[in-house]
């Protein structure tokens, strides 16, 4: 009886301002609990009043400063379909709720809790392929481990979505799955550069690192390095990736990706440092498209591997350019750096000289490797030039910098750096045969 009476009082007091059950929970359910629920990546659950209430002030701060939900694109450039930012009126509601003492309100108003499919976020996949073994991650350093496994596909398949499911969340930091299409088992992406410029690279525990004495090119837009490949044009990227904060890849039923018959999958798994051995069996789930598309989804990766960041440099610039050799529709961009990553800008210079910024990430964070998907694919004419400009903060003022006294070059370890961009695109003028020809040629 007493409980009921208290509940009733709370409800009548709350008439004055927003309450958790009626006004705030719907906002949290829609925008926050995908991560803020037991067992997912955020530190606390926002599913019920009891667990959310102690965080009320922090929630007010996080939404007022737009730190949550995480999103790093400058709103001045581009419109993105996966932009999770809250509506201004939702922010006002949360502020008013906290300023009014964060009341619970009548439990009757609490909307039904959202239902999550644990693990597979898009429902049960049509096909699941794992790394083929229970891999024991040794304690000590970061590990990059490669697993090549057969698909056993006897015919090619169109894939509308893919999700990588870590076998052991405590140790799997990120994963790329690539297609291996040729008979001798070398992978499609990044394999070429290793063969051609191997002399500049050191290998240890599956981790590659550019040698300190390798040639230096910070501005790959100004020219190339003789004998060094992949500083112009583009490389074809991995098939699907799992990165911190990134949802599953949803290519779309009308723009799926193609896996040819007989392809193998190569998992590249970055295992984080652990104190105790950990066992992992990561898998990838594929969702089949309903039929062949007019335009298959493709990947275009741009890297500059030959930068050198001096010790202590607070704003070191690295550039990479790309001339479009055909008309393309740009679908998404994912910038990638490590701890010293500071900002990223993507500009396009059209053949008529018009210059526009497609995406600006003014404050990059290694913890959030987000994909930015354009609201409408960006039509880019042949002859346009993409200019990618990254800055790195290797000073002691960068709180996430592991060591500002180091000269930093490209390397797989998180303490080294990268300068890479993963982009999805469609052929702007597809011929019905173009995809199958490419798939055959690359086998
Ligand atoms: C994509 C996943 C994701 C979404 C969506 C998300 N969060 Fe978070 N949130 C995190 C993670 C991970 C952390 C801890 C690491 C960090 O602070 O970056 C965090 C931290 C926080 C913190 C800071 C806790 C502290 O230590 O002060 C608050 C408050 C918060 N989130 C509130 C929200 C609210 C409110 C929403 C929705 C409007 C939201 N978050 C949406 C993942 C998410």
């Amino acid at each position: 009886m007493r409980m009921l009476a208290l509940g009733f009082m709370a409800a009548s007091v709350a008439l004055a301002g927003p309450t958790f059950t009626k006004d705030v929970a719907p906002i949290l359910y829609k925008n926050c609990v995908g991560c803020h629920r037991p067992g997912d990546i955020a530190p606390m659950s926002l599913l019920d009043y009891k667990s959310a209430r102690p965080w009320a002030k922090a929630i007010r701060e996080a939404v007022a400063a737009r730190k949550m939900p995480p999103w790093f694109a400058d709103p001045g450039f581009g419109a993105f379909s996966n932009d999770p930012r809250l509506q201004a009126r939702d922010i006002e509601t949360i502020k008013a709720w906290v300023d009014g003492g964060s009341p619970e309100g009548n439990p009757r108003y609490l909307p039904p809790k959202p239902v999550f499919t644990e693990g597979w976020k898009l429902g049960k996949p049509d096909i699941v392929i794992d790394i083929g073994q229970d891999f024991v991650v040794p304690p000590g350093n970061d590990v990059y481990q490669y697993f090549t496994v057969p698909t056993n596909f006897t015919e090619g398949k169109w894939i509308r979505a893919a999700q990588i499911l870590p076998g052991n969340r405590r140790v799997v930091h990120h994963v790329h799955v690539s297609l291996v299409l040729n008979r001798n088992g070398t992978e499609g992406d990044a394999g070429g550069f290793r063969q051609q410029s191997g002399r500049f690279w050191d290998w240890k525990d599956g981790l590659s690192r550019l040698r300190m004495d390798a040639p230096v090119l910070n501005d790959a837009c100004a020219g190339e390095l003789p004998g060094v490949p992949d500083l112009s044009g583009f490389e074809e990227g991995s098939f699907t990736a799992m990165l911190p904060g990134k949802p599953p890849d949803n290519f779309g039923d009308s723009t799926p990706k193609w896996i040819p018959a007989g392809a193998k999958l190569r998992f590249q798994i970055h295992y984080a440092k652990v104190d105790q051995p950990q066992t992992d069996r990561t898998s990838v789930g594929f969702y089949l498209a309903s039929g062949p598309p007019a335009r298959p989804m493709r990947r275009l990766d741009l890297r500059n591997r030959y930068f050198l960041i001096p010790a202590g440099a607070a704003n070191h610039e690295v550039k990479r350019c790309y001339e479009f050799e055909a008309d393309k529709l740009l679908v998404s961009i994912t910038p990638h750096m490590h701890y010293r990553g500071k900002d990223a800008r993507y500009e396009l210079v059209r053949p008529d000289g018009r210059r526009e910024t497609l995406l600006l990430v003014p404050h990059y964070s290694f913890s959030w490797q987000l994909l930015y998907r354009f609201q409408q694919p960006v039509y880019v004419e042949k002859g346009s030039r993409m200019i990618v400009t990254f800055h790195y903060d290797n000073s002691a003022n960068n709180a996430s910098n592991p060591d500002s006294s180091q000269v930093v070059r490209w390397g797989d370890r998180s303490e080294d750096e990268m300068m890479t961009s993963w982009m999805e695109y469609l052929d702007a003028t597809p011929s019905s045969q173009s995809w199958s020809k490419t798939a055959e040629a690359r086998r």
Side-chain angles (χ1 to χ4, degrees):
M1 272 317 280
R2 237 186 117 208
M3 294 278 290
L4 276 176
L6 279 173
F8 177 74
M9 272 173 62
S12 45
V13 170
L15 285 176
T19 65
F20 182 84
T21 54
K22 189 156 180 271
D23 310 288
V24 174
I27 301 172
L28 303 182
Y29 285 9
K30 178 159 175 266
N31 301 286
C32 316
V33 301
C35 301
H36 286 275
R37 63 191 158 100
D40 215 284
I41 59 172
M44 71 289 191
S45 167
L46 298 179
L47 271 172
D48 55 70
Y49 183 69
K50 232 178 100 208
S51 52
R53 175 66 183 83
W55 291 93
K57 284 219 163 65
I59 291 171
R60 186 192 193 285
E61 237 169 74
V63 301
R66 290 201 178 273
K67 277 165 61 186
M68 285 284 152
W71 183 251
F72 298 87
D74 186 309
F77 306 99
F80 302 93
S81 63
N82 62 333
D83 182 345
R85 286 175 307 152
L86 293 183
Q87 307 272 323
R89 64 163 187 276
D90 291 342
I91 297 176
E92 289 315 311
T93 301
I94 289 176
K95 280 163 124 178
W97 173 63
V98 178
D99 295 345
S102 322
E104 176 171 19
N106 189 332
R108 276 211 329 247
Y109 290 130
L110 191 70
K113 291 215 166 91
V115 183
F116 296 97
T117 42
E118 282 315 319
W120 302 112
K121 292 197 190 255
L122 305 172
K124 197 173 164 298
D126 297 305
I127 299 162
V128 177
I129 297 174
D130 70 28
I131 58 175
Q133 57 180 278
D134 291 329
F135 181 73
V136 180
V137 184
N141 286 324
D142 289 46
V143 177
Y144 264 62
Q145 195 72 34
Y146 297 84
F147 304 91
T148 302
V149 293
T151 56
N152 296 322
F153 289 176
T154 50
E155 55 184 32
K157 294 191 194 303
W158 289 107
I159 309 296
R160 68 174 162 85
Q163 182 185 347
I164 294 167
L165 194 63
N168 182 343
R169 275 178 182 277
R170 267 180 301 180
V171 65
V172 176
H173 181 268
H174 69 256
V175 182
H176 292 278
V177 172
S178 309
L179 299 185
V180 180
L181 301 173
N182 53 6
R183 286 214 179 78
N184 60 13
T186 53
E187 71 280 11
D189 74 309
F193 102 87
R194 279 174 195 144
Q195 280 156 22
Q196 293 171 54
S197 56
R199 64 204 151 107
F200 301 135
W201 295 83
D202 284 332
W203 287 87
K204 192 164 176 276
D205 303 332
L207 298 149
S208 71
R209 245 188 130 186
L210 185 67
R211 300 246 284 257
M212 280 297 155
D213 61 358
V216 176
L217 186 68
N218 289 306
D219 182 358
C221 300
E224 298 191 34
L225 285 170
V228 175
D230 298 328
L231 284 164
S232 63
F234 67 93
E235 296 168 68
E236 202 165 321
S238 62
F239 190 88
T240 181
M242 185 206 106
L243 304 165
K246 175 181 170 293
D249 278 310
N250 205 339
F251 311 125
D253 194 50
S254 61
T255 55
K257 284 176 105 163
W258 173 245
I259 302 182
K264 290 181 193 151
L265 301 183
R266 189 188 58 128
F267 289 77
Q268 182 211 61
I269 307 186
H270 182 170
Y271 291 113
K273 257 179 228 175
V274 283
D275 301 328
Q276 298 293 322
Q278 294 281 338
T279 304
D280 171 56
R281 195 177 185 112
T282 286
S283 52
V284 60
F286 293 123
Y287 300 82
L288 297 176
S290 49
R295 295 183 165 115
M297 188 69 78
R298 298 212 160 138
R299 260 275 292 277
L300 179 167
D301 290 11
L302 302 180
R303 302 183 175 87
N304 177 352
R305 297 187 176 85
Y306 291 89
F307 58 82
L308 184 149
I309 309 173
N315 195 35
H316 184 75
E317 185 169 284
V318 180
K319 295 178 87 155
R320 174 68 157 82
C321 283
Y322 162 58
E323 316 274 346
F324 283 77
E325 77 294 342
D327 295 354
K328 292 190 162 124
L329 289 160
L330 206 55
V331 173
S332 74
I333 300 181
T334 309
H336 179 74
M337 295 178 259
H338 291 173
Y339 294 121
R340 290 151 176 110
K342 189 177 182 187
D343 58 58
R345 185 188 282 268
Y346 294 82
E347 291 167 292
L348 200 64
V349 182
R350 305 273 184 186
D352 65 6
R354 267 180 309 140
R355 188 172 179 136
E356 66 199 271
T357 293
L358 298 177
L359 166 68
L360 173 64
V361 176
H363 305 287
Y364 177 83
S365 162
F366 184 47
S367 315
W368 294 106
Q369 296 175 33
L370 302 189
L371 172 149
Y372 300 92
R373 186 180 299 279
F374 295 108
Q375 198 119 54
Q376 294 294 328
V378 179
Y379 182 85
V380 186
E381 315 84 324
K382 173 181 172 176
S384 301
R385 184 172 164 86
M386 163 97 76
I387 304 171
V388 186
T389 310
F390 285 7
H391 289 97
Y392 297 83
D393 184 353
N394 193 18
S395 76
N397 288 335
N398 173 3
S400 36
N401 190 350
D403 187 353
S404 62
S405 71
Q406 298 290 319
V407 175
V408 183
R409 303 208 70 178
W410 180 288
D412 289 334
R413 300 180 318 158
S414 304
E415 306 92 282
D416 302 323
E417 267 304 335
M418 288 196 180
M419 194 275 178
T420 178
S421 300
W422 303 314
M423 307 189 196
E424 291 176 309
Y425 76 94
L426 307 167
D427 288 331
T429 46
S431 76
S432 58
Q433 245 58 57
S434 66
W435 54 266
S436 59
K437 272 199 206 123
T438 319
E440 289 307 320
R442 286 167 55 220
R443 222 183 274 195

